[in-house]
Amino acid sequence: MNFTQSIEVCFKKFSDFDGRARKSEFWWFQLFCLIAQIVGALLDSAFGYTESGAFEWVAYIVILLPSLAVGARRLHDTGRSGWWQLLYLTIIGIIILIVWWVADGNKKNNKFGKPINIKK
């Protein structure tokens, strides 16, 4: 999955917390989220906002739900519940989540669905 496919899939499934997501889908979308936040901050700076302004907040609101959904689907691919994302509220939890998001997904069926077919 490439950058644009990832963005398309994540916005189509913006509120779908069921199923599984590939590593590439998750990480390309995280890159998009980072770029959106930076562009929002640059636009705020260009319009004279010294702190988080309207553009940055709009970017954050637009990407919040799709980001949570793809994070949950990525955890499902590793056999974990999406509720584990609550660990993000703690400092040590962020490290644990990153390790889980980087891990390879289960190659067999799990309680969240069939494995993702990777087309080559």
Side-chain angles (χ1 to χ4, degrees):
M1 179 171 287
N2 64 30
F3 184 72
T4 55
Q5 289 172 331
S6 171
I7 295 166
E8 183 179 330
V9 167
C10 288
F11 278 113
K12 280 184 181 176
K13 295 180 175 184
F14 77 97
S15 63
D16 185 5
F17 289 79
D18 295 328
R20 296 163 72 162
R22 298 180 193 157
K23 270 198 284 190
S24 60
E25 177 183 343
F26 176 79
W27 288 110
W28 281 124
F29 192 73
Q30 293 306 311
L31 177 62
F32 169 75
C33 293
L34 178 66
I35 292 169
Q37 290 292 103
I38 290 171
V39 168
L42 290 174
L43 287 171
D44 286 337
S45 177
F47 285 100
Y49 295 109
T50 56
E51 294 184 19
S52 295
F55 291 106
E56 193 171 357
W57 276 104
V58 167
Y60 180 73
I61 290 168
V62 167
I63 62 177
L64 178 63
L65 191 57
S67 184
L68 289 172
V70 74
R73 291 194 312 270
R74 179 70 198 121
L75 286 172
H76 290 170
D77 194 40
T78 63
R80 294 173 180 85
S81 170
W83 287 102
W84 281 107
Q85 289 184 97
L86 290 174
L87 286 175
Y88 203 75
L89 300 174
T90 66
I91 293 178
I92 197 76
I94 294 169
I95 297 167
I96 295 168
L97 281 171
I98 289 171
V99 168
W100 287 344
W101 285 328
V102 169
D104 288 332
N106 294 344
K107 306 291 185 221
K108 298 180 181 178
N109 291 349
N110 65 20
K111 64 182 178 181
F112 301 106
K114 295 181 179 179
I116 300 165
N117 294 331
I118 299 175
K119 298 175 185 174
K120 292 186 180 187

